[in-house]
Structure formats: structure tokens, C-alpha cells
């Protein structure tokens, strides 16, 4: 059980005693002049939130109010002794009640004490879907996220991006208590730029006759078409083969992006929708990414497999089975397999 150390001593004529005993006398009474402190490691659990930029005194007050330490003064004293007063991190921390200040400081700087709220963004989400996921997971207002996504300058987007679509990198992000929508989205763009640098995206795209934005567009299609990871480089090859042959890509994913829909069933009427993203009507790549691709899709766009494939069909979406061919007759057969799959659902 935690106990308070004594913080006062009833001594008549303390000044006389100190004067008589000199420095030795001060050393004797100093322990009794220290701020109140608990003894021991404490017990139970309490989560405290430390604001960004808080001073040691402010942190001490937060801890004292939560019953973690006996007094702010005791915490400040230990923080100054260990030269930690200006280096304490913000965030939420799981501590114990009734701790001595030294133990409290030790737990506060231990990574395992940190209570981190995270949000994981999967590959392939479109921008509106991604903002929905962030709003739900973080509690941020969606309107704030929409405004932040539209501020290309504040996001730090590369000049070639054109918009946030395709450049908010899917990953797991830590959310600090004071994280704002612009800060979070800017961190996602920064992760994209780090990945682009790591993959040497600009130079490798140029070797394929693509701008960086076009390379990301290819990656976004690869990601949206799905399949298994080994299928990604093959899908990229089909795209490049069709572009080289000046044949429309005829991809359902781009049509569905134009319509803002997600479905496995695309009708002939759907393929007639008037949109620059309709690759049934418009040859070449769509004007920009149709999703936010991850690392494997980006690699596939930059390093496709070698092959003469001209078509691919995901014949069993549930098991992500995709078949590739360079023969139109086989493509028709694969489409029939998909139609049978859809008919059995």
C-alpha cells in the first residue's frame, strides 16, 4: 500500500538549528522539505493524457490529479534530476495509482506504457471510402477530412499528383490526441513520397514512357482489379500490352469508379457511361488513379511480368482466382466461368 513520506517537521527555532549546525544541519532536514511523494510502485491502472508541449510542471499536475503521484512538485524534482523536464512525450499512457515520482517518470518514458490509438487503411480504397474509414476510426469530422484532402498545398502532394486520390498511402497510422485532419492526411502523403523514393518511382516510370502520375494510375488499376499478389505483375503486363497495341483497356474497375459503385456485375449499358474514366470508350489510361495503391501494386506497375497476355478474368472472386490469356476464345470462356459464378451467388 502506498504511503506518503513526511513533508513537515515540527521544529522550534529551525533557523537557529541550521545556523548552529551549518551545512550538516541543512542536510539533516532537507528530506523533510521535499514535496510530498508516494512510496512504492503503486497499484491498479489509470490512463492519463499528456498534452503536446506540456511542461514538467503541467505533466506533474496531470499525474497528481489522476492520483498517480502525490504531488506535482515531486514529479518535477525527479524530472529535473534526470534532465527529462523538456523531453517528455505527449500522448496517452497507462500508469498506476500511488506511484513514487521516480517510478512514474520511468513508466512515462517506457514505450510499453504508451496507449496508442491506430487506424489501418487497407490498399485499394477510393478517396471517399478512405475518408469514411478515417472519420469512423478517429472520430474526426468527415467535413474536416474532405477539406484537408482538397488542400493540395497543405498536404504536400508532389507536383505531378493533381489530387489526393492515389497518393494517400495505405498503412497503419498512430493517432495522437491532438492530431488534426490536415496533419493525418499529410502524414499519409509523406508515406507515399517515402515509398516513391524507395522504389525510385520517377526514374523507373520514365523508362516505361510514363509520368509518375501515370505509373500510380497503373498501380491503382492493378490494386483495384485485385487477385492474388502474384497476379499483380501479370495484370500490369496486360495493361501495357493493350496500351502498346492501342487497344482500349476495357476495364470494369474504371467504369465502376466513374459511377462511384462497387459490384461484380457490370452491364453493357454501364460500359457506355460518358466519362474520361470509361476505358471501354476512351483508349489509354484514365486521367488519374482510381484507388490508393499499396507497395506491391506500385512494384507491379514498375516491374511487370513478361508475357503476351491480352485479357484477364477473375473467374472466382471469392477465392481470388484470376486467369490470363492471349487468346480471345479463352477470354470468352473465362467470362462464361465468371457469369456462372455470379449466377450461383
Amino acid at each position: 500500500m502506498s504511503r506518503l513520506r513526511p513533508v513537515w517537521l515540527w521544529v522550534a527555532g529551525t533557523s537557529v538549528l541550521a545556523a548552529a549546525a551549518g551545512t550538516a544541519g541543512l542536510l539533516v532536514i532537507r528530506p523533510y522539505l521535499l514535496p510530498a511523494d508516494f512510496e512504492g510502485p503503486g497499484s491498479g491502472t489509470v490512463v492519463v493524457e499528456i498534452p503536446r508541449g506540456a511542461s514538467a510542471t503541467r505533466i506533474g499536475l496531470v499525474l497528481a490529479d489522476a492520483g498517480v503521484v502525490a504531488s506535482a512538485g515531486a514529479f518535477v524534482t525527479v524530472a529535473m534530476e534526470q534532465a527529462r523536464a523538456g523531453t517528455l512525450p505527449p500522448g496517452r499512457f497507462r500508469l498506476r495509482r500511488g506511484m513514487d515520482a521516480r517510478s512514474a517518470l520511468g513508466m512515462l518514458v517506457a514505450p510499453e506504457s504508451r496507449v496508442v490509438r491506430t487506424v489501418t487503411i487497407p490498399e485499394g480504397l477510393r478517396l471517399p471510402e478512405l475518408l469514411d474509414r478515417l472519420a469512423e476510426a478517429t472520430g474526426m469530422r468527415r467535413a474536416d477530412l474532405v477539406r484537408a484532402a482538397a488542400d493540395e498545398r497543405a498536404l504536400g502532394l508532389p507536383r505531378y499528383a493533381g489530387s489526393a486520390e492515389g497518393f494517400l498511402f495505405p498503412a497503419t497510422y498512430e493517432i495522437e490526441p491532438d492530431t488534426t485532419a490536415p496533419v493525418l492526411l499529410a502524414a499519409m502523403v509523406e508515406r507515399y513520397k517515402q515509398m516513391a523514393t524507395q522504389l525510385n518511382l520517377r526514374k523507373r516510370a520514365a523508362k516505361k514512357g510514363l509520368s509518375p502520375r501515370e505509373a500510380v494510375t497503373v498501380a491503382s488499376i492493378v490494386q483495384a482489379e485485385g487477385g492474388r499478389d502474384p497476379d499483380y505483375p501479370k495484370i500490369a503486363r496486360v495493361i501495357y500490352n493493350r496500351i502498346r497495341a492501342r487497344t482500349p483497356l476495357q476495364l470494369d474497375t474504371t467504369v465502376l469508379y466513374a459511377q462511384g459503385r462497387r459490384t461484380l456485375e457490370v452491364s453493357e449499358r454501364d460500359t457506355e457511361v460518358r466519362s474520361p474514366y470509361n476505358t471501354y470508350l476512351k483508349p489509354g489510361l484514365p486521367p488519374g488513379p482510381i484507388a490508393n495503391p499499396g507497395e506491391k501494386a506500385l512494384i507491379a506497375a514498375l516491374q511487370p511480368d513478361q508475357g503476351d497476355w491480352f485479357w484477364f478474368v477473375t473467374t472466382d472472386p471469392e477465392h481470388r482466382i484470376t486467369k490470363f490469356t492471349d487468346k480471345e476464345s479463352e477470354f470468352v470462356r473465362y467470362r462464361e466461368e465468371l457469369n456462372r459464378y455470379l449466377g450461383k451467388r
Side-chain angles (χ1 to χ4, degrees):
M1 181 176 180
S2 301
R3 295 184 295 117
L4 279 174
R5 294 173 184 164
V7 295
W8 54 269
L9 179 65
W10 187 262
V11 178
T14 301
S15 60
V16 176
L17 175 61
T23 303
L26 286 174
L27 291 175
V28 170
I29 66 171
R30 186 179 176 188
Y32 297 97
L33 301 178
L34 291 175
D37 197 2
F38 291 123
E39 291 184 352
S43 61
T45 300
V46 60
V47 175
V48 298
E49 187 168 308
I50 305 301
R52 186 177 298 277
S55 65
T57 300
R58 174 79 183 280
I59 295 173
L61 290 170
V62 170
L63 298 180
D65 287 345
V68 174
V69 298
S71 68
F75 180 81
V76 171
T77 298
V78 172
M80 293 182 68
E81 285 177 357
Q82 297 188 15
R84 286 282 193 175
T87 63
L88 297 171
R92 301 174 72 234
F93 300 86
R94 185 173 287 105
L95 307 176
R96 293 188 290 268
R97 288 188 173 87
M99 305 180 71
D100 65 84
R102 194 171 301 277
S103 296
L105 178 61
M107 285 194 72
L108 197 61
V109 298
E112 58 270 21
S113 299
R114 190 179 183 86
V115 180
V116 180
R117 184 172 56 166
T118 62
V119 55
T120 298
I121 300 300
E123 296 90 346
L125 293 183
R126 299 168 185 165
L127 180 59
E129 297 166 338
L130 186 150
L131 299 182
D132 286 341
R133 180 70 63 95
L134 289 178
E136 180 180 357
T138 67
M140 294 179 184
R141 294 176 60 234
R142 192 180 189 283
D144 292 339
L145 290 162
V146 170
R147 279 193 294 271
D151 192 341
E152 298 177 19
R153 187 186 184 95
L155 285 179
L157 287 169
R159 291 182 180 179
Y160 56 76
S163 73
E165 183 75 277
F167 302 95
L168 298 175
F169 195 74
T172 297
Y173 295 89
E174 294 185 1
I175 311 298
E176 300 287 356
D178 60 348
T179 299
T180 62
V183 167
L184 176 55
L185 295 188
M188 299 180 75
V189 171
E190 183 61 29
R191 286 286 290 274
Y192 161 77
K193 292 195 289 189
Q194 291 171 1
M195 182 57 62
T197 299
Q198 178 182 321
L199 297 178
N200 199 10
L201 183 141
R202 186 186 292 269
K203 186 174 181 179
R204 294 171 71 183
K207 287 183 177 180
K208 295 190 173 300
L210 302 174
S211 69
R213 177 177 171 83
E214 288 173 331
V216 175
T217 299
V218 172
S220 74
I221 295 172
V222 169
Q223 190 76 71
E225 289 291 342
R228 299 174 180 176
D229 292 351
D231 294 332
Y232 289 178
K234 293 181 179 180
I235 295 172
R237 174 51 61 193
V238 171
I239 293 171
Y240 292 134
N241 285 347
R242 295 183 77 88
I243 290 175
R244 187 178 299 113
R246 301 182 183 278
T247 300
L249 297 180
Q250 296 183 328
L251 296 168
D252 292 352
T253 51
T254 63
V255 171
L256 294 172
Y257 181 82
Q259 298 174 316
R261 300 168 56 218
R262 283 202 184 270
T263 179
L264 294 174
E265 302 180 47
V266 175
S267 68
E268 184 174 347
R269 183 175 181 180
D270 289 330
T271 64
E272 297 171 354
V273 63
R274 293 292 173 181
S275 169
Y277 286 89
N278 184 351
T279 55
Y280 280 86
L281 299 180
K282 180 183 177 297
L285 292 170
I290 64 169
N292 290 274
E295 180 179 4
K296 292 177 181 178
L298 287 168
I299 292 174
L302 299 173
Q303 190 175 332
D305 278 352
Q306 295 301 313
D308 297 327
W309 309 294
F310 214 65
W311 294 274
F312 65 90
V313 180
T314 301
T315 57
D316 185 345
E318 181 181 356
H319 299 98
R320 300 194 301 166
I321 296 174
T322 302
K323 297 182 179 181
F324 298 80
T325 183
D326 61 351
K327 298 180 176 62
E328 187 170 6
S329 59
E330 287 186 344
F331 165 69
V332 171
R333 190 165 70 250
Y334 296 159
R335 288 291 300 185
E336 290 173 352
E337 284 186 42
L338 174 60
N339 290 334
R340 286 195 295 272
Y341 170 89
L342 295 175
K344 292 178 181 178
R345 290 191 308 159

